[in-house]
């Protein structure tokens, strides 16, 4: 079993480190936030991720997992150094590498001989070779091992992955990293570092384009009287297309798709390639988010001015099963409504505090409270519990019983029977 340092205790670092400890490795996770480190050592997990808390407690108890402050404290005695640091976007969409460069500066001279640095975060193509130059250590290899962790399912995705991609310039380093995952039953693909880096960005950009495509088809369905759910089912039977990632929604978002597609576009620009298809998918997604907001405005009772209306929102997180609000489509749609001075009251099972920069949103503790005196209700995140609400009660609470279901979560007939005007997406 290997001595592993994981630098960064965010979603990726915590999942990676905790799961590697579960596989039997001796893992030290480092973060710069002292309070977070102290809480983690006491078994408190700062994020909502099913299964993570149990494995983290197991790791602390059996001694395989510990948390320290600062990258060098973790890296000093480790053979592998998993970099799981933030990669926020620069204003032009390219990846901000500040966290990576400072972590590398901190650890490069104290890395034990023959260490392997493993880039887990999503990084622009060419990063591994740049870092190799930065460290100036011939005995240290840099390997790219991108994560394919979907929030809300991250532990499962780590332990039962669709594939493990390892990009390395040295066969020996690749073999050593492969050995870390020997207890996981998965296809292992070994490539060069550039290809591994590009695989991650390409996967996310491709999925984002697939979603833009089905959202565009949803709009077309509305114009020609077809149902996008039937169309998605019909094309999904074709294994060349596949049935997943075909759920139309208010627009895609989250901590990865927007950032990664913008970064890939920048990579293409820098390489002198005009990646029109990807650029269009990004602008069409913005247009789709706006279209979703317009649907809500159009659903208001005739003559009701937007600035005098109250809109109830169900769902704030970027998808169900997470507490993450980063680049949430829901917040983007709400942003358009707030710009028009609508009053927005919102309920989300995972959010109970005011949202930074969006303090105008009134956060309620139940869906019924949010619906009180509302002129329209819109579902923006597909939490299952929204399907089980007492819609009779919601009907009574609202001023104008109209539901815009931007996730196609509810049964239109049921809602219509209860006296609602139901507006789905692409149906
Ligand atoms: C994604 C990738 O799936 C994961 O492999 C990668 O490592 C990180 O980025 P995540 O950001 O957790 O994971 O979210 P994901 O479940 O992929 O959803 C992204 C966005 O697409 C969300 O806004 C979601 O609501 C939307 N979506 C997804 C749809 O609108 N319809 C779908 O059918 C699927």
């Amino acid at each position: 079993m290997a001595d592993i340092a994981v630098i960064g205790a965010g979603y990726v670092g915590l999942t990676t480190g905790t799961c590697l400890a579960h596989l039997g490795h001796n893992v030290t996770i480092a973060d710069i936030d002292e309070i977070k480190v102290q809480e983690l050592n006491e078994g408190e997990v700062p994020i909502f991720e099913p299964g993570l808390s149990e494995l983290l407690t197991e790791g602390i108890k059996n001694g395989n997992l510990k948390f320290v402050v600062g990258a060098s404290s973790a890296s000093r005695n480790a053979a592998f150094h998993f970099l799981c640091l933030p990669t926020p976007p620069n204003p032009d969409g390219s990846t901000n590498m500040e966290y990576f460069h400072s972590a590398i500066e901190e650890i490069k001279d104290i890395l034990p001989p023959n260490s392997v640095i493993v880039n887990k975060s999503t990084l622009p193509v060419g990063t591994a070779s740049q870092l190799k130059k930065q460290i100036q250590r011939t005995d240290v290899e840099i390997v790219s091992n991108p994560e394919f962790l979907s929030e809300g399912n991250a532990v499962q995705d780590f332990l039962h992955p669709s594939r493990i991609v390892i990009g390395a310039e040295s066969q020996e380093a690749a073999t050593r990293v492969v050995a870390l995952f020997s207890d996981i039953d998965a296809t292992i693909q070994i490539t060069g570092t550039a290809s591994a880096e590009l695989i991650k960005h390409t996967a996310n950009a491709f999925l984002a384009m697939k979603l833009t495509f089905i959202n565009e088809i949803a709009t077309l369905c509305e114009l020609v009287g077809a149902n996008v759910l039937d169309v998605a089912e019909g094309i999904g039977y074709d294994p060349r297309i596949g049935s997943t990632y075909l759920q139309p929604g208010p627009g895609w978002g989250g901590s990865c798709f927007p950032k990664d597609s913008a970064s890939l576009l920048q990579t293409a620009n820098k390489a002198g390639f005009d990646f029109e298809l990807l650029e269009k998918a990004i602008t069409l997604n913005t247009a789709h988010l706006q279209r979703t907001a317009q649907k809500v405005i159009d659903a208001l009772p005739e003559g009701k001015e937007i600035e005098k209306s109250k809109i109830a929102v169900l769902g704030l997180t970027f998808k169900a099963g997470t507490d993450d609000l980063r680049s949430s489509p829901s917040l983007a749609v709400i942003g358009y409504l707030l710009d028009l001075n609508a009053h927005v009251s919102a309920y989300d099972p995972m959010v109970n505090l005011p949202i930074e920069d969006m303090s105008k949103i009134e956060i309620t503790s139940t869906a019924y409270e949010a619906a009180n005196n509302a002129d329209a209700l819109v579902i923006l995140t597909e939490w299952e519990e929204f399907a089980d609400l007492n819609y009779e009660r919601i009907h009574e609470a609202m001023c104008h019983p109209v539901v815009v279901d931007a996730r196609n979560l509810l049964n239109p007939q049921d809602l219509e029977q209860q006296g609602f005007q139901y507006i789905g997406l692409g149906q």
Side-chain angles (χ1 to χ4, degrees):
M1 288 300 140
D3 291 322
I4 298 175
V6 173
I7 316 300
Y11 276 91
V12 173
L14 277 180
T15 308
T16 301
T18 304
C19 289
L20 285 168
H22 177 67
L23 294 176
H25 299 295
N26 179 26
V27 178
T28 305
I29 303 183
D31 202 281
I32 46 171
D33 182 337
E34 289 180 29
I35 297 171
K36 194 187 210 181
V37 167
Q38 191 187 333
E39 288 172 352
L40 283 164
N41 271 321
E42 287 161 10
E44 272 177 55
V45 182
I47 52 167
F48 171 74
E49 195 56 58
L52 186 61
S53 177
E54 291 82 348
L55 291 191
L56 189 133
T57 307
E58 169 200 277
I60 294 173
K61 274 197 184 140
N62 67 21
N64 281 356
L65 183 60
K66 62 174 183 292
F67 299 89
V68 295
V69 179
S72 48
S73 323
S75 283
R76 205 173 297 280
N77 300 309
F80 298 88
H81 312 265
F82 280 72
L83 301 187
C84 304
L85 291 156
T87 49
N90 287 318
D92 68 354
S94 61
T95 301
N96 179 335
M97 296 296 295
E98 182 190 331
Y99 294 96
F100 264 80
H101 291 310
S102 62
I104 287 283
E105 279 308 308
E106 184 180 339
I107 62 173
K108 68 183 174 62
D109 298 325
I110 55 119
L111 292 173
N114 304 315
S115 284
V116 179
I117 291 176
V118 184
N119 288 337
K120 199 71 178 154
S121 306
T122 306
L123 294 161
V125 60
T127 302
S129 68
Q130 274 169 24
L131 295 184
K132 178 81 182 153
K133 286 186 199 127
Q134 190 187 346
I135 57 171
Q136 295 193 316
R137 289 272 303 260
T138 49
D139 64 323
V140 173
E141 286 300 330
I142 313 247
V143 169
S144 167
N145 168 225
E147 52 88 10
F148 300 103
L149 308 173
S150 171
E151 286 183 26
N153 204 47
V155 171
Q156 285 303 310
D157 285 344
F158 190 98
L159 296 174
H160 308 282
S162 49
R163 76 292 206 193
I164 295 174
V165 173
I166 291 171
E169 299 308 320
S170 121
Q171 184 59 44
E172 196 223 334
T175 309
R176 286 175 64 197
V177 176
V178 168
L180 299 177
F181 302 106
S182 59
D183 285 343
I184 293 182
D185 181 20
T187 300
I188 303 224
Q189 183 192 8
I190 298 178
T191 69
T193 50
S195 298
E197 289 162 340
L198 201 56
I199 284 170
K200 175 60 200 280
H201 268 143
T202 305
N204 276 358
F206 190 86
L207 292 171
M209 286 200 308
K210 194 175 177 186
L211 292 176
T212 289
F213 193 84
I214 202 67
N215 285 338
E216 292 292 290
I217 292 291
T219 302
L220 181 61
C221 284
E222 289 173 9
L223 297 170
V224 299
N227 186 329
V228 70
L229 299 179
D230 294 335
V231 175
E233 183 185 339
I235 62 169
Y237 289 126
D238 184 335
R240 292 170 303 175
I241 295 173
S243 58
T244 57
Y245 278 79
L246 283 180
Q247 279 292 328
W252 41 264
S255 61
C256 294
F257 284 4
K259 176 167 78 70
D260 293 352
S261 43
S263 177
L264 184 57
L265 194 59
Q266 276 306 313
T267 298
N269 283 347
K270 276 189 203 142
F273 171 55
D274 187 7
F275 200 160
E276 286 179 84
L277 182 60
L278 180 58
E279 188 167 18
K280 196 72 190 169
I282 296 168
T283 51
L284 287 174
N285 189 51
T286 306
H288 189 72
L289 290 162
Q290 265 166 338
R291 194 183 294 133
T292 306
Q294 190 57 46
K295 262 189 165 195
V296 181
I297 296 163
D298 293 344
L300 291 172
E302 223 180 296
K304 183 90 192 182
E305 290 163 51
I306 179 82
E307 61 272 23
K308 291 193 183 132
S309 63
K310 175 174 172 182
I311 293 162
V313 169
L314 297 188
L316 292 164
T317 54
F318 82 88
K319 63 174 184 179
T322 178
D323 59 355
D324 200 343
L325 292 166
R326 286 176 291 173
S327 298
S328 169
S330 173
L331 295 186
V333 171
I334 292 173
Y336 293 124
L337 299 173
L338 290 178
D339 284 348
L340 296 171
N341 293 320
H343 174 77
V344 174
S345 58
Y347 167 71
D348 187 290
M350 279 289 161
V351 183
N352 49 26
L353 293 173
I355 298 168
E356 218 179 300
D357 300 332
M358 294 197 90
S359 56
K360 278 194 197 159
I361 306 174
E362 179 200 350
I363 309 280
T364 64
S365 47
T366 66
Y368 306 105
E369 236 181 285
N372 210 20
N373 291 326
D375 299 296
L377 180 141
V378 54
I379 299 181
L380 290 172
T381 310
E382 73 284 21
W383 287 104
E384 270 304 313
E385 68 168 77
F386 298 159
D388 300 327
L389 292 170
N390 179 343
Y391 279 92
E392 219 176 284
R393 196 171 151 195
I394 289 189
H395 189 282
E396 274 166 29
M398 291 178 72
C399 280
H400 178 236
V402 57
V403 170
V404 177
D405 184 1
R407 293 283 186 171
N408 289 329
L409 188 73
L410 308 179
N411 182 320
Q413 285 80 35
D414 289 353
L415 269 270
E416 277 160 9
Q417 262 170 22
Q418 299 192 50
F420 281 97
Q421 183 194 348
Y422 176 88
I423 301 167
L425 183 64
Q427 25 171 341

